[in-house]
Amino acid sequence: MIQNSRAGRRLAMRRIRPQRSPAVPLVALAWAGAAVVLWMWWENTPNVVGTANQLIAAGRITGLLGAYTIALVVAQMARVPALEKRVGSDRVARWHAMSGRYAISLVVAHVVLTIYGYSELANAGVVSEAVTVVTDYPDMIKAFAGTLMLLLVGFVSANAARRRMRYETWYYIHLLTYAAVFLTFWHQLSTGAEFAGGTVARTAWYALYLTVTALVVWYRVLTPVRLNLRHRMKVVVTVEEAPGIVSVLIGGRKLHRLGAEAGQFFRWRFLTPGLRWSANPYSLSAPPRPGLMRITVKAVGGHSAALASLKPGTRVWAEGPYGALTAARRTRGKVLLLAAGAGITPMRALFETLPAAPGDLTLLYRAKSTDDLALWGELKGIAKDRGARLMYAVNGPDGSRPEFTAEGLKARLPDLDRHDVFLCGPPGLTTEWFHTLREAGVPERRIHHESFEF
């Protein structure tokens, strides 16, 4: 424990190195790429006269922008550490979903506008012209198959459809995106006016797609293989922490060299029947040790419930570390950690490791009952050693939920507006807390949260 509060606070603040999010320059770079695509279209588009040519020209620009957006969609799936760790996995996932909706819309517009334009030009029916385009134009059969795959991926990714299927089913259908991109790529070069006589344009398009392919191969395939061959992780033991909550201790070689930080997570695949075909994100519930890591999981589905029955020695395949809910986001000396349910896992790791002077670190834990306060004994020990404040809020005897109001939080922490606040819990509750904190005067830039609702 730091004995001198003022000296300790100065030491803690010196260790805070908040990282600027690269979101703004990355978004600007994406828009710059779109501007280049528009310029390519403009340079290769003569004066457009007549409805048919206007439809075809519109089909060309929507096709080019759709293909460019698809490249961004795949890049966002590559799990590039610079994005996953600094921007945040949940934010990248939202970008991916938004970009995917734009890509599908642009592809549909491209198909409809182009077919209608060609049918007007040939004075033929839309259906017969569509058959002609698919069967007679180069690489169009492959493009047709790839487009159907993209539409299927878009359909199962819609919230209404996704809620009705298992995560594993959605995940493996989602992988069809790679096949769809490969199949639709070739017709762009063989039929696109921008690439027919432009070596620079073709080179740039190849460079874009090869770069994205390299990112996917490196970070989705080679990096995980290297990680797991090097560290050879296995289940050591499982420990029940509270009703329906279990900790899994995972051993391996030199795990501290993974570079994982408190607040981050891995995607875990347990190589045992019933679990080997799914990889789920679980946060570290303690700082990694040289030969040991720990996750603590609440049984909310088939995968998480099955972890309680894992046998020692079960092989583990992991990908990560991911996530930006780390000490790097912190900007102030005082920190409040708000946790609910399984959200206590990253908060527990941060509670132990966040640099802070005595009295400057507070953890508030929301649970249904005192029996559901997982890791409570550890939290009490950490609070005592660090001079931190530890509080909890549980339902009343009649099941009534405690109210979290701006006034109530400020009564507990009068200087709440001078804190950084880290949130982790069920999405609905996290959203409620976010608005309560804003009402209490905490700036949005100092409210840090990350969701696993990918």
Side-chain angles (χ1 to χ4, degrees):
M1 180 183 296
I2 300 173
Q3 298 298 323
N4 186 306
S5 178
R6 186 174 298 174
R9 187 174 289 110
R10 286 199 299 267
L11 175 62
M13 287 304 297
R14 280 202 300 269
R15 295 175 63 187
I16 298 170
R17 296 182 177 88
Q19 296 176 350
R20 289 188 177 182
S21 170
V24 173
L26 285 173
V27 171
L29 182 62
W31 280 109
V36 172
V37 172
L38 287 170
W39 175 81
M40 287 169 50
W41 172 82
W42 181 264
E43 283 293 300
N44 290 275
T45 302
N47 293 331
V48 180
V49 179
T51 302
N53 288 322
Q54 290 172 352
L55 288 170
I56 294 171
R60 283 174 47 220
I61 184 55
T62 52
L64 282 169
L65 287 173
Y68 170 73
T69 307
I70 286 172
L72 296 183
V73 168
V74 176
Q76 291 156 4
M77 294 171 66
R79 296 176 186 166
V80 180
L83 293 177
E84 298 279 339
K85 294 181 181 180
R86 297 187 63 194
V87 175
S89 297
D90 61 337
R91 193 173 187 184
V92 174
R94 289 195 295 271
W95 286 358
H96 171 71
M98 179 185 64
S99 301
R101 288 191 290 270
Y102 284 135
I104 294 294
S105 299
L106 287 165
V107 167
V108 170
H110 164 66
V111 172
V112 172
L113 290 168
T114 303
I115 295 299
Y116 266 97
Y118 282 151
S119 66
E120 284 281 328
L121 200 62
N123 197 24
V126 173
V127 174
S128 63
E129 187 62 26
V131 172
T132 299
V133 169
V134 171
T135 56
D136 291 353
Y137 283 57
D139 297 312
M140 281 305 303
I141 292 179
K142 291 186 290 186
F144 176 69
T147 301
L148 291 181
M149 290 181 186
L150 283 175
L151 294 177
L152 174 61
V153 171
F155 173 76
V156 302
S157 296
N159 289 334
R162 185 172 175 181
R163 283 195 296 265
R164 288 171 170 78
M165 66 176 61
R166 297 172 65 239
Y167 170 80
E168 291 78 10
T169 303
W170 170 86
Y171 174 79
Y172 286 110
I173 292 177
H174 211 65
L175 292 180
L176 287 174
T177 303
Y178 297 123
V181 171
F182 176 79
L183 291 171
T184 56
F185 175 75
W186 304 104
H187 90 287
Q188 300 170 42
L189 300 180
S190 57
T191 63
E194 291 73 21
F195 308 110
T199 303
V200 173
R202 291 175 69 91
T203 302
W205 217 242
Y206 270 117
L208 172 65
Y209 274 81
L210 286 174
T211 298
V212 170
T213 301
L215 290 174
V216 171
V217 171
W218 183 261
Y219 291 113
R220 292 295 297 266
V221 181
L222 298 181
T223 297
V225 168
R226 177 175 174 267
L227 181 153
N228 287 280
L229 290 178
R230 171 180 290 184
H231 298 287
R232 298 188 176 275
M233 287 174 270
K234 295 181 180 181
V235 172
V236 176
V237 69
T238 59
V239 179
E240 185 179 16
E241 303 287 0
I245 298 179
V246 63
S247 285
V248 182
L249 277 72
I250 298 163
R253 301 175 181 174
K254 301 178 180 178
L255 298 182
H256 61 294
R257 293 190 177 178
L258 286 167
E261 300 178 55
Q264 290 190 308
F265 67 93
F266 287 76
R267 287 180 170 88
W268 304 94
R269 188 187 303 272
F270 297 93
L271 306 184
T272 189
L275 296 176
R276 66 174 70 248
W277 295 111
S278 58
N280 285 32
Y282 298 121
S283 292
L284 298 175
S285 60
R289 312 301 185 198
L292 195 68
M293 292 194 294
R294 187 183 73 176
I295 58 174
T296 302
V297 180
K298 183 176 182 179
V300 294
H303 187 279
S304 54
L307 299 190
S309 60
L310 286 172
K311 303 298 183 185
T314 300
R315 291 294 303 274
V316 180
W317 185 274
E319 298 177 38
Y322 301 125
L325 194 68
T326 67
R329 284 193 173 185
R330 180 182 168 198
T331 62
R332 296 296 173 115
K334 296 186 177 185
V335 178
L336 169 64
L337 307 176
L338 279 174
I344 190 59
T345 54
M347 297 296 104
R348 183 258 177 248
L350 285 168
F351 195 48
E352 179 180 347
T353 58
L354 264 173
D360 284 354
L361 181 62
T362 304
L363 171 61
L364 176 56
Y365 188 177
R366 168 76 175 93
K368 290 183 179 179
S369 68
T370 53
D371 291 336
D372 294 314
L373 294 170
L375 309 173
W376 187 251
E378 295 182 16
L379 294 170
K380 288 172 64 177
I382 294 170
K384 181 179 179 181
D385 291 342
R386 304 199 63 191
R389 286 175 286 192
L390 177 61
M391 300 177 282
Y392 68 84
V394 298
N395 293 352
D398 60 350
S400 59
R401 297 178 58 198
E403 268 195 78
F404 279 86
T405 64
E407 293 75 17
L409 286 175
K410 290 172 75 173
R412 293 175 183 249
L413 291 173
D415 58 349
L416 176 61
D417 58 340
R418 296 200 292 274
H419 281 64
D420 271 293
V421 184
F422 289 72
L423 309 178
C424 195
L429 188 57
T430 301
T431 301
E432 178 186 326
W433 281 346
F434 178 86
H435 292 298
T436 300
L437 290 165
R438 292 291 294 116
E439 186 181 344
V442 182
E444 183 175 345
R445 66 182 181 277
R446 286 199 264 116
I447 303 174
H448 315 297
H449 57 93
E450 196 162 31
S451 168
F452 295 156
E453 298 294 310
F454 298 146

